Structure formats: C-alpha cells, structure tokens
Amino acid sequence: MSESKRTVVITGGSKGIGRAICLRFAREGARIIFMHYDPDDLAANETLGLLDKVNVETKAEKLDVSSFSAVEEFFKQVVKDFQRVDVLVNNAGITRDAFLMRMSEDQWDQTLQVNLKSVFNCTKAVMRSMIKERSGRIISISSVVGQIGNIGQSNYAASKAGIMGFTKTVARELAGRGITVNVVVPGFINTEMTQRLPVKAKEAFLAQIPMGRIGEPDEIAETVYWLASEGASYITGQVIHVNGGLYM
Ligand SMILES: NC(=O)c1ccc[n+]([C@@H]2O[C@H](COP(=O)([O-])OP(=O)(O)OC[C@H]3O[C@@H](n4cnc5c(N)ncnc54)[C@H](O)[C@@H]3O)[C@@H](O)[C@H]2O)c1
C-alpha cells in the first residue's frame, strides 16, 4: 500500500483531532478528503492551508454527516473521482451536555445523530467500494466517556458506547473481505471541545489522569495512522485507548 496512492476520508477534519489526522496522513503523501459542518469555513480553510504546505491533493466539503442521503451522494462522487477509498476515519462529533433530568429530546437526538448515525452512514456508504477492492481500513473515534460515563453526558456516552458495539459487529461482518474496523478512544484531549469545559470540570479530569497532563490531538492522530498502516494488518474489532492512563 503506497501512501501516495491512498485516498483517506476524514469526517470533522476542520479542526482539533480531525485536523491532526488529516495532517498525519498528508505527511506521507496520501490524498486527503475531509468533511466539516462548522457555521463558517474559517477552520476548514486553515486546515486546507496547512495541507497545501505539505503539497497533497485535497478536497473539503461542508456536509452534515448525520444525513444519510447527503453522505451517500458524497461517497458516490468520491469513488467516481478517485476510484476507491482506502481509509475512512469517522471522527466528527459534538456534545450537547445536560443532566438527564433537564436533557431535551433535541439534545439527545442531535448527539446520537451526529456521533453515532454518522458512523453508520459513512461506513455503509464506503463499504461497497472497499469490498470490491478487498481492502480497507475503517477507524472510528469514540470517547473514554463511552466506557466510564460522565455526569451531564448521558447522550454523548450512549453515542460513543454505541460506536464500540457497532464496530465489533461490522469488524466481524467485514473481516473476510480484507477490511479492518477499529475504534480509537481518546481520553481528555486539548481541542475546542474541551477548551469549552468549565475550569472545575477540567481540573477534575486532570486529577484522574495518571500521566498528569491532557493529551494532544497529534497523539490520537498517530494511533489512527498506525491502525491504518500495514503494521496493524491483523488487528480488527479492537478498542484502543489513548488516555494517559485515565481509564485502564
Ligand atoms: N477533545 C476531546 O477531549 C475528545 C475526547 C474523546 C473523544 N473525542 C472525540 O473526538 C472527535 C473530535 O473531537 P474534537 O475535540 O477534535 O472536536 P472539535 O469540536 O474540535 O471538532 C469537531 C469536528 O466535527 C465536525 N462536525 C461536527 N458536527 C458535524 C456534522 N454534523 N457533520 C460533519 N462534521 C461535523 C466539526 O465541523 C469539526 O470539524 C469527536 O468525535 C469527539 O467526540 C474528543
């Protein structure tokens, strides 16, 4: 698998962990296609600027990954344009936090749609072409919260735990087709998502991390990249934690 021939699709690539994943694959010369759904294109353009410096072929699209039909159309076009997708990284995610007592139906639905249904949408849209090629890597980004829970995040925890069950099942279904399906589970990572947290919540998280520091997006990107490499050819259906020891 020569990197220069790989086409890598990353959801939520405009910033944070998604941007780091785009840049990690770009360093090896892969073609980078990412989606985002920010209100404006500022962050996406910044990512495109960084990718431009590495001089790889790129495509970025503002697209709501929770829409089944939009995702289906998008992947049809990608396969038409580039023949195949070698790696799919399901990274897009949101939080809509509230205590269950106060959580609205909308907060529940939005979080499940963006974090979990998107994984179904993109995986389903890409699998036919991967099956045809008898090769492919699908990596989804869950969260430690999906494993241990977190007050105010019952919707987020459910969506992220759902990704793990989905992955283990699809890994079994696709194992004979040359496709591996895995989950990377970040702990507490330095991005806009966590910068928004109240200081007290951040301190509480930090106190529980044996390595005593927050993780960096690059540290997640490196694990995703490795799972998509030849070195990880016999790994499927696995849940890989990258969290400084926060959960063991
Ligand atoms: N930051 C952390 O500490 C942390 C910890 C565990 C898991 N995660 C997970 O890692 C992933 C990335 O998190 P981040 O911190 O980089 O977040 P971020 O808020 O910095 O970026 C989120 C990305 O998702 C995209 N996105 C949001 N809704 C979308 C939609 N409907 N359609 C398409 N794209 C959409 C945004 O445009 C953006 O590109 C998420 O799935 C998140 O749940 C993050």
Side-chain angles (χ1 to χ4, degrees):
M1 248 192 300
S2 144
E3 288 298 333
S4 59
K5 294 198 185 101
R6 289 214 283 183
T7 297
V8 182
V9 178
I10 298 136
T11 71
S14 62
K15 50 187 162 182
I17 293 170
R19 175 187 284 173
I21 295 169
C22 289
L23 292 170
R24 182 63 190 87
F25 280 97
R27 278 215 322 259
E28 299 296 334
R31 180 186 289 123
I32 307 296
I33 299 166
F34 74 85
M35 296 94 113
H36 75 96
Y37 205 52
D38 302 334
D40 58 51
D41 289 336
L42 282 175
N45 286 339
E46 215 177 290
T47 302
L48 283 171
L50 292 166
L51 289 168
D52 207 37
K53 282 190 193 148
V54 196
N55 205 16
V56 289
E57 200 178 337
T58 54
K59 178 184 161 93
E61 187 134 326
K62 183 168 177 173
L63 181 146
D64 180 2
V65 285
S66 68
S67 160
F68 184 81
S69 55
V71 166
E72 200 179 32
E73 272 312 300
F74 178 79
F75 276 95
K76 262 189 202 155
Q77 194 58 47
V78 168
V79 172
K80 208 168 168 190
D81 292 346
F82 306 113
Q83 288 73 53
R84 55 189 282 171
V85 174
D86 299 284
V87 182
L88 165 66
V89 184
N90 290 309
N91 162 78
I94 57 166
T95 50
R96 295 288 181 270
D97 298 353
F99 289 115
L100 182 58
M101 191 67 89
R102 294 201 204 114
M103 187 176 289
S104 66
E105 186 183 358
D106 244 24
Q107 284 174 310
W108 174 270
D109 286 345
Q110 269 185 32
T111 306
L112 269 289
Q113 296 255 339
V114 174
N115 294 2
L116 184 57
K117 190 183 172 205
S118 68
V119 177
F120 163 77
N121 290 346
C122 295
T123 304
K124 206 165 153 61
V126 86
M127 64 188 280
R128 200 177 295 274
S129 121
M130 285 185 174
I131 287 172
K132 204 169 133 221
E133 298 294 333
R134 294 198 68 78
S135 110
R137 299 287 164 98
I138 300 171
I139 299 146
S140 302
I141 309 297
S142 176
S143 165
V144 68
V145 169
Q147 200 95 39
I148 64 176
N150 191 31
I151 289 173
Q153 294 198 306
S154 56
N155 50 359
Y156 185 77
S159 69
K160 293 299 185 179
I163 290 176
M164 298 185 212
F166 175 83
T167 295
K168 289 177 187 190
T169 301
V170 180
R172 288 181 190 276
E173 291 183 12
L174 297 182
R177 312 292 193 125
I179 302 163
T180 67
V181 193
N182 291 291
V183 185
V184 171
V185 188
F188 187 38
I189 309 300
N190 184 19
T191 70
E192 257 180 46
M193 187 179 269
T194 46
Q195 279 152 16
R196 281 196 300 266
L197 284 173
V199 177
K200 273 201 166 159
K202 280 190 211 174
E203 284 171 0
F205 258 121
L206 263 178
Q208 292 175 59
I209 303 173
M211 287 183 75
R213 67 168 176 87
I214 189 166
E216 291 302 324
D218 285 347
E219 295 178 296
I220 305 302
E222 205 57 54
T223 307
V224 171
Y225 182 75
W226 169 72
L227 277 172
S229 73
E230 274 303 321
S233 54
Y234 199 51
I235 297 175
T236 198
Q238 301 305 311
V239 172
I240 313 284
H241 294 273
V242 186
N243 61 22
L246 172 61
Y247 168 78
M248 297 182 187

